[in-house]
Amino acid sequence: MTDADITTATADWHAWQESWDRQQEWYLPDREERFRIMLDMVEALVGTAPRVLDLACGTGSITARLLARFPDATSTGVDLDPALLAIAEGTFAGDDRVRLVTADLKDPDWQAKLPYDAYDAVLTATALHWLHREPLADLYGQVAGLVRAGGVFMNADHMIDETTPRINAAERAQRHTRMDQAKRDGILDWAEWWQLAAKDPVLAEPTARRYEIYGEHADGDAPSVQWHARVLREKGFGEARPVWCSPSDTLLLAVK
């Protein structure tokens, strides 16, 4: 099924998931490798039947890969986006291993909506750059309170080292050249994907609501790996360091 066909398959949540993945991979060509390393570290540190909090879960990309690799795992997905949560709800309908929660991570009491007080692992990807440093630091403190002793937190996102401007510029130029070619080949970008969702009979209403919440895109921060690691230690994690990186992206692991 092509992206153009999705508007006629309003209940085909698998097609929407695939379309979301393609759109995200346009920005992140190493996305699947990043997920693989994330789950490697879950297995190494908390085993193959973890209780996971999928933080800012979106369509449930992490949860889907978690359950495919670890059938005995359970996942709580939390997000505020009505459209992406609608896709997640359709995808995981009937799977009692998954709970989905609507909550605003900027709300200081968002954890009260979770079904559990503690998790073996809290995982997030390509999401927390929507937050500025101060609310992100506050969120890290809240996450530290949710991770059990010996449990893990992982954040995969764009983390900018401002001490390497020439490297950053070269990487950005190369990445955008590749993206421009992929777009000429027909890949949907962020704006085009949301335009498609807005035309779908099932997703049109939740898409309209998500634009009321977020607008086009939040204007957050992308601080350095060193900032993330330092703040996570300050907030209660014993260890924190990157376990994978690409030229544009980092997977940072913290252990409670």
Side-chain angles (χ1 to χ4, degrees):
M1 178 176 290
T2 67
D3 292 325
D5 293 330
I6 290 175
T7 54
T8 64
T10 57
D12 191 343
W13 300 116
H14 178 70
W16 276 111
Q17 288 284 3
E18 286 190 342
S19 179
W20 176 259
D21 284 343
R22 286 195 296 273
Q23 179 257 124
Q24 289 289 287
E25 286 165 359
W26 182 63
Y27 298 96
L28 300 161
D30 301 310
R31 186 169 179 255
E32 291 301 326
E33 175 71 3
R34 185 180 64 166
F35 285 141
R36 183 186 69 80
I37 297 298
M38 177 181 281
L39 296 181
D40 281 351
M41 294 297 98
V42 167
E43 181 174 3
L45 286 157
V46 298
T48 59
R51 176 190 292 171
V52 170
L53 176 61
D54 187 349
L55 193 68
C57 65
T59 66
S61 296
I62 291 174
T63 292
R65 289 155 180 80
L66 172 80
L67 298 180
R69 178 161 168 177
F70 306 128
D72 294 327
T74 59
S75 179
T76 302
V78 59
D79 207 301
L80 186 61
D81 190 310
L84 299 185
L85 280 174
I87 296 172
E89 288 163 359
T91 299
F92 300 108
D95 192 333
D96 59 9
R97 298 171 298 175
V98 180
R99 301 275 293 273
L100 294 169
V101 175
T102 300
D104 185 350
L105 297 181
K106 293 180 181 179
D107 179 348
D109 297 321
W110 67 269
Q111 312 101 294
K113 296 184 177 182
L114 300 177
Y116 304 108
D117 295 329
Y119 289 86
D120 301 307
V122 177
L123 310 177
T124 188
T126 325
L128 300 190
H129 63 270
W130 285 57
L131 298 176
H132 290 287
R133 282 171 172 79
E134 184 173 345
L136 179 55
D138 291 341
L139 179 64
Y140 278 172
Q142 293 163 339
V143 168
L146 290 168
V147 175
R148 67 161 172 83
V152 302
F153 168 69
M154 278 181 269
N155 179 15
D157 214 338
H158 190 41
M159 302 179 188
I160 298 175
D161 186 341
E162 295 179 352
T163 69
T164 59
R166 288 181 294 171
I167 295 173
N168 298 350
E171 181 279 321
R172 188 182 311 110
Q174 192 276 338
R175 174 161 42 93
H176 281 277
T177 297
R178 174 188 54 78
M179 291 168 69
D180 289 344
Q181 181 58 56
K183 196 149 180 5
R184 288 192 291 269
D185 293 338
I187 294 295
L188 295 179
D189 64 17
W190 172 268
E192 290 167 334
W193 191 91
W194 282 109
Q195 289 168 8
L196 191 66
K199 297 175 183 177
D200 182 85
V202 173
L203 290 178
E205 190 274 335
T207 296
R209 285 192 284 121
R210 70 88 56 195
Y211 274 101
E212 291 175 1
I213 295 169
Y214 294 113
E216 290 295 328
H217 200 288
D219 182 24
D221 290 335
S224 69
V225 171
Q226 292 77 16
W227 182 94
H228 287 274
R230 174 179 59 79
V231 172
L232 285 164
R233 292 190 187 99
E234 290 173 353
K235 296 297 183 178
F237 287 92
E239 300 176 13
R241 72 166 177 86
V243 291
W244 176 90
C245 70
S246 73
S248 64
D249 210 50
T250 297
L251 172 61
L252 191 134
L253 166 64
V255 180
K256 186 75 176 288

